[in-house]
């Protein structure tokens, strides 16, 4: 059981360490210190649900409905292109407008909606959490629950560290130009993922 738990934790971390749309958004909110707890919980709970689906074998069922994957793929492409464009627009507005204490704060409902769409409209998250983690957990018969719980813990610890650890970079982002660079990086990341989904799907 311990081996299954360790593997679940490590595999989960390895799958979400890469900078993606979801991670970039968590980092941005952490730097802004805006609704960080809500964002972290939304990401962690979403991953836990998807991991549970994978561990219980839902990946096999979803594979029999191929059109769902295509619909999610193109929905994700559209959303990522729009959201990336908004980040470029924010960068053009200037760094001062992006500093945590400046301007009107984003409502918690808007932030929650954005992070949920970034999470659930991304086809890759289903491949990673439902299909891949689900198939790996099958290698531990009798201990799949331990694998799944540990994987969910790995996700929670990562998003907590990313969201709340981002404030350590606050001195760097005291410079408005750093916020402009961040928004450009986030926008480019969103568009790169969108293009990858469109042409690599």
């Amino acid at each position: 059981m311990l081996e299954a738990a360790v593997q679940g934790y490590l595999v989960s971390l390895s799958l979400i360490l890469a900078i993606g749309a979801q991670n970039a958004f968590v980092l941005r909110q952490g730097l802004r210190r805006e609704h960080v707890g809500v964002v972290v919980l939304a990401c962690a709970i979403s991953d836990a649900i998807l991991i549970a689906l994978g561990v219980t074998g839902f990946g096999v069922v979803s594979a029999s409905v191929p059109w769902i994957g295509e619909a999610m793929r193109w929905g994700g492409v559209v959303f990522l292109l729009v959201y990336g464009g908004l980040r470029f627009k924010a960068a053009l507005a200037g760094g001062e407008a992006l500093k945590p204490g400046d301007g009107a704060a984003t409502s918690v409902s808007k932030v929650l909606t954005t992070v949920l769409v970034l999470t659930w409209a991304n086809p890759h998250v289903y491949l990673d959490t439902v299909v891949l983690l689900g198939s790996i957990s099958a290698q531990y018969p009798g201990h799949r629950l331990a694998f799944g719980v540990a994987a969910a813990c790995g996700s929670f610890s990562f998003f907590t560290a990313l969201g709340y650890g981002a404030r350590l970079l606050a001195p760097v982002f005291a410079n408005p130009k750093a916020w402009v660079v961040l928004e450009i990086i986030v926008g480019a990341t969103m568009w790169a993922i969108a293009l990858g989904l469109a042409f690599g799907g």
Side-chain angles (χ1 to χ4, degrees):
M1 184 176 72
L2 179 59
E3 180 184 357
V6 171
Q7 283 299 313
Y9 188 89
L10 294 178
V11 171
S12 175
L13 279 182
S14 68
L15 290 176
I16 60 178
L17 275 176
I19 294 298
Q22 184 188 51
N23 293 352
F25 185 77
V26 174
L27 175 62
R28 182 176 183 274
Q29 292 304 119
L31 287 167
R32 291 176 64 89
R33 301 189 185 187
E34 187 178 63
H35 310 307
V36 180
V38 172
V39 171
V40 168
L41 282 177
C43 291
I45 292 173
S46 294
D47 267 13
I49 293 172
L50 290 166
I51 289 169
L53 290 174
V55 170
T56 55
F58 183 76
V60 177
V61 178
S62 63
S64 65
V65 190
W67 64 265
I68 291 181
E70 279 296 292
M72 290 189 302
R73 179 162 74 97
W74 290 107
V77 168
V78 172
F79 179 80
L80 289 169
L81 287 175
V82 172
Y83 187 79
L86 291 176
R87 301 280 51 86
F88 287 124
K89 181 180 178 181
L92 288 174
E96 292 293 338
L98 303 172
K99 291 171 68 176
D102 295 345
T106 306
S107 68
V108 65
S109 60
K110 185 175 181 180
V111 169
L112 182 59
T113 299
T114 300
V115 72
L116 288 177
V117 173
L118 283 172
T119 301
W120 292 88
N122 178 10
H124 288 303
V125 78
Y126 296 94
L127 176 63
D128 289 345
T129 55
V130 178
V131 179
L132 188 55
L133 280 176
S135 62
I136 294 175
S137 71
Q139 300 175 20
Y140 300 96
H143 301 298
R144 297 181 72 171
L145 177 61
F147 181 95
V149 170
C153 288
S155 173
F156 181 79
S157 61
F158 171 80
F159 287 119
T160 299
L162 181 62
Y164 288 100
R167 64 187 58 191
L168 298 176
L169 298 173
V172 175
F173 286 89
N175 182 349
K177 291 182 179 179
W179 280 97
V180 173
V181 172
L182 176 66
E183 292 289 22
I184 291 174
I185 291 175
V186 172
T189 299
M190 302 298 179
W191 280 11
I193 295 172
L195 290 175
L197 287 177
F199 298 105

